[in-house]
């Protein structure tokens, strides 16, 4: 497998952060101003007309770039997470994120081409149903719930510590407005993951996939005040992602050195 060139990786990643930002902004706006609770795929469907399809095409490229960057980082450790237990966990999480965004790429591309058929129900419930049909499926779903709970807790810790700033250029990292955007955004995502984890635990415990739910179901389940706060946080996370598209330290010399070192050890297939 040939590793993408460093400049291409950086460009793809930045387009990807922008696409992710637009998606979260859409989710937040829909929840705050229309009362609609959508996940990523549902938000993308709102663009499926007129000029929106042009934007969807650009976002498909962005999701592809973001997914490839995340998977490349997991394989080559371009950000230096290391090979200890914590580093492997972070890299695996990045790989999962990459796969999810490749899925969003497919959704956006199919909508752009006019072949999109809609989300067809909650993908989290569909995934839970498929898992429950497997031998030991209840245990697997319970493990998934625990993983989501841990992910949510880590997002809240990241919001509290604001350690996401270390990934930004110094100029941006020193701006209090950007710190506030990130803290609000990661806190909102933390709450969403915690509730998703709780839903998945119930699904596994009761062996009922209908108990599972994605972001849309989480938003719909919250009381009006919490719903508004979380929706606003997701919108702010989208704006923070746009900031990352510009200021993320993908081109950190240490990162580039690790990328080149990895590339030098990999021969094209």
């Amino acid at each position: 497998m040939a590793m993408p060139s460093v400049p291409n990786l950086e460009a793809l990643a930045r387009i990807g952060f922008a696409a992710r930002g637009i998606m979260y902004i859409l989710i937040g706006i829909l929840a705050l101003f229309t009362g609609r609770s959508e996940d990523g795929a549902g938000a993308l469907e709102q663009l499926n007309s007129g000029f929106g399809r042009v934007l969807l095409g650009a976002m498909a490229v962005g999701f592809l770039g973001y997914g490839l960057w995340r998977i490349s980082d997991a394989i080559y450790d371009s950000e230096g997470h290391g090979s200890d237990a914590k580093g492997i966990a972070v890299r695996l999480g990045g790989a999962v994120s990459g796969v999810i965004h490749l899925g969003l790429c497919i959704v956006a591309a199919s909508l752009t081409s006019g072949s999109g058929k809609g989300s067809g129900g909650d993908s989290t419930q569909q995934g839970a149903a498929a898992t429950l049909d497997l031998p030991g499926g209840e245990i697997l779903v319970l493990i998934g719930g625990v993983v989501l709970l841990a992910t949510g807790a880590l997002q809240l810790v990241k919001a509290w510590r604001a350690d996401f700033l270390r990934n930004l250029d110094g100029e941006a990292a020193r701006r209090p407005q950007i710190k506030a955007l990130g803290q609000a955004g990661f806190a909102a995502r933390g709450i969403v993951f915690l509730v998703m984890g709780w839903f998945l635990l119930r699904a596994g415990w009761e062996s009922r996939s209908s108990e599972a739910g994605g972001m849309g179901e989480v938003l719909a389940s919250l009381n009006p005040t919490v719903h508004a706060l979380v929706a606003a946080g997701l919108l702010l996370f989208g704006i923070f992602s746009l900031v990352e598209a510009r200021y993320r330290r993908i081109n950190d010399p240490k990162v580039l050195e690790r990328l080149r070192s990895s590339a030098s050890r990999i021969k094209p297939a």
Side-chain angles (χ1 to χ4, degrees), residues 87-265:
I88 293 296
V90 172
R91 290 163 67 181
L92 285 175
V96 171
S97 175
V99 171
I100 290 172
H101 282 83
L102 290 180
L104 288 170
C105 168
I106 294 173
V107 172
S110 65
L111 290 171
T112 302
S113 67
S115 62
K117 302 298 183 183
S119 59
D122 177 59
S123 60
T124 305
Q125 291 183 359
Q126 294 168 1
T131 304
L132 287 171
D133 287 337
L134 298 174
E138 291 87 353
I139 294 176
L140 293 175
V141 171
L142 287 171
I143 291 173
V146 171
V147 170
L148 282 174
L149 289 175
T151 301
L154 288 173
Q155 295 280 300
L156 292 176
V157 170
K158 184 177 289 189
W160 175 260
R161 295 180 177 174
D163 52 9
F164 51 82
L165 293 174
R166 71 182 63 166
N167 295 321
L168 302 179
D169 286 337
E171 175 189 354
R174 290 190 292 269
R175 296 179 182 175
Q177 310 97 305
I178 291 178
K179 178 181 179 181
L181 281 175
Q183 287 183 307
F186 280 106
R189 291 222 310 170
I191 293 170
V192 169
F193 282 123
L194 287 175
V195 180
M196 285 175 61
W198 170 244
F199 284 171
L200 209 55
L201 285 177
R202 287 195 315 186
W205 185 258
E206 299 179 15
S207 193
R208 290 194 304 174
S209 62
S210 60
E211 295 294 331
M215 185 177 296
E217 283 67 33
V218 169
L219 288 170
S221 72
L222 302 175
N223 70 55
T225 301
V226 179
H227 176 276
L229 290 173
V230 172
L234 294 176
L235 191 158
L236 293 176
F237 183 78
I239 297 174
F240 178 76
S241 294
L242 297 182
V243 171
E244 285 191 289
R246 170 64 179 84
Y247 293 105
R248 177 84 181 202
R249 294 178 65 182
I250 302 167
N251 58 345
D252 184 331
K254 292 182 180 179
V255 173
L256 294 181
E257 182 180 345
R258 286 191 291 270
L259 283 169
R260 293 191 180 102
S261 177
S262 297
S264 68
R265 297 194 298 269

